[in-house]
Amino acid sequence: MATLAQARPRTRPTAATPRRPVLRHLGPNWYAAVMGTAIIPNAGAGLPFHIPGLPVLWALSLALLAGLLVARAGHWLHHRDQARGHLLDPTVAPFYGCLSMAFLAVGIGSLSVGADLIGESAAVPLAWVLYGLGTLTGLVAAVAVPYLMVVRHDVAPGSASPVWLLPVVAPMVSATLGPLLVPHLPAGQAREAMLLASYAMFGMSLLATLVILPVVFSRLIHRGALPLFLTPTLFLVLGPLGQSTTAVNKLADVAAGSIGAPYASGMSAFAVLYGVPVMGFALMWLALALAMAVRAARRGMGFAMTWWAFTFPVGTCVTGAEGLARHTGLHAFDWLAVALYALLVTAWLVAGFHTVRGLVNGKLLAAPVKK
């Protein structure tokens, strides 16, 4: 007589209940959602009126960063082949710059609004940790990604994209957080070193942008509009423009107590002489990008994670306008910041809604459809 174990049919759990790789297609582009959320309180803190709830939004960005770091660690642990594939993909690798900017954007918020929630004694050390992580990963990405594009990636002629700016703009965000940490350093050599290191990262990012941006514009002129799902990436050009304007104004804020008088006054003048024309170009590019986005929407542009490009770059223009308002005293810059902030919040609400819906229905983490 057969035993109960022998009589029972054998099943194969792996075949009957297939395991869904939830994290397999979680790429580094998801850090853009952290950046887009963190810029809301960062930009809102500098407006000419008080906005309630900004520390809560900063806490949300911190939670998103922590959760995404865990998820991405799981991605590297369980889907290493896919993670390596992302590094070798010229369309995905530049998004590793978003990791750095996510650290730094949350770090800026730690000092600007986070102290109201967790206290300065916790906010300052947290900002230092995020600055260190963000600056280190940003400098690595700024070198490693262009290196991979030269020696490993198969980049087709005429395929330049605004996404190429992501790894090189990360040090510019470090140049913005650095000045916020200067007052927390001892006077003298330490403050001057942080100030000039921030200026060096400003220059590094700015000159790299000036190399890449003409290539991107040439691609648009000679090859036509970007594919519909990539159209929002046109807003990424605003990132180095707004962030550099923000950086020079933040650096000017702390120059007087960090470096000698001739240089301190020169930095204050440079903040306006550089920031005003760059903001003018940013507004021109914003109009162009908006026109292209409307065109793409009329042609059926569906939601993709690229929609988060509508958030952080616009937010950097808000903080840039706020800095110019401080240093010029012109109310026109205050009103410009308010108008851009309204656009920023609208974009964040739309991108956030579609992201949550895509997570719930599983479409955003599904395997890309092969055409």
Side-chain angles (χ1 to χ4, degrees), residues 3-361:
T3 63
L4 182 60
Q6 291 172 328
R8 225 178 244 161
R10 293 186 179 180
T11 60
R12 294 183 179 180
T14 54
T17 55
R19 188 169 155 236
R20 186 179 180 183
V22 177
L23 299 179
R24 182 165 180 79
H25 302 288
L26 183 73
N29 58 321
W30 280 78
Y31 287 111
V34 178
M35 297 160 53
T37 301
I39 197 65
I40 299 291
N42 294 355
L47 293 175
F49 49 82
H50 174 69
I51 299 178
L54 294 182
V56 176
L57 285 174
W58 169 79
L60 173 61
S61 70
L62 178 62
L64 289 174
L65 175 62
L68 192 52
L69 287 172
V70 172
R72 286 285 298 161
H75 178 269
W76 271 92
L77 182 63
H78 298 292
H79 305 286
R80 201 163 297 171
D81 62 321
Q82 183 79 345
R84 289 197 185 105
H86 285 163
L87 280 173
L88 298 178
D89 187 340
T91 65
V92 180
F95 284 99
Y96 272 92
C98 293
L99 169 61
S100 166
M101 290 186 280
F103 281 129
L104 295 166
V106 177
I108 292 171
S110 177
L111 295 176
S112 60
V113 298
D116 295 337
L117 190 66
I118 63 175
E120 187 175 358
S121 60
V124 174
L126 177 60
W128 274 111
V129 170
L130 293 172
Y131 175 79
L133 292 172
T135 300
L136 177 62
T137 54
L139 292 175
V140 170
V143 175
V145 174
Y147 174 82
L148 288 173
M149 294 179 72
V150 172
V151 303
R152 295 295 300 274
H153 293 168
D154 183 14
V155 181
S159 62
S161 163
V163 172
W164 290 7
L165 292 167
L166 288 172
V168 300
V169 78
M172 190 70 79
V173 189
S174 290
T176 303
L177 177 52
L180 301 181
L181 292 167
V182 164
H184 301 283
L185 288 169
Q189 289 283 318
R191 290 189 180 185
E192 184 173 349
M194 174 63 91
L195 183 76
L196 294 182
S198 298
Y199 253 107
M201 287 186 284
F202 160 82
M204 176 195 311
S205 181
L206 177 63
L207 294 175
T209 298
L210 293 178
V211 169
I212 295 172
L213 189 54
V215 181
V216 173
F217 190 69
S218 176
R219 180 256 178 263
L220 293 173
I221 294 297
H222 294 103
R223 295 296 181 109
L226 295 172
L228 294 183
F229 77 99
L230 282 178
T231 300
T233 64
L234 290 170
F235 283 75
L236 295 177
V237 175
L238 297 174
L241 302 176
Q243 196 69 60
S244 62
T245 303
T246 303
V248 293
N249 279 276
K250 294 291 187 184
L251 288 162
D253 289 340
V254 297
S258 307
I259 200 168
Y263 299 107
S265 58
M267 289 178 180
S268 295
F270 180 67
V272 176
L273 296 177
Y274 171 87
V276 172
V278 170
M279 185 58 65
F281 178 69
L283 293 176
M284 186 202 76
W285 190 272
L286 175 61
L288 174 64
L290 281 171
M292 297 299 292
V294 170
R295 175 184 178 275
R298 289 177 174 174
R299 284 163 171 74
M301 177 181 66
F303 176 74
M305 287 299 289
T306 52
W307 281 34
W308 282 100
F310 292 136
T311 57
F312 187 81
V314 174
T316 66
C317 292
V318 177
T319 54
E322 290 168 350
L324 290 174
R326 287 196 311 274
H327 287 100
T328 64
L330 285 176
H331 297 304
F333 284 116
D334 284 322
W335 288 111
L336 175 61
V338 171
L340 291 173
Y341 191 75
L343 178 63
L344 167 64
V345 171
T346 301
W348 177 74
L349 290 172
V350 173
F353 170 78
H354 284 285
T355 301
V356 172
R357 186 173 69 172
L359 285 172
V360 171
N361 61 30

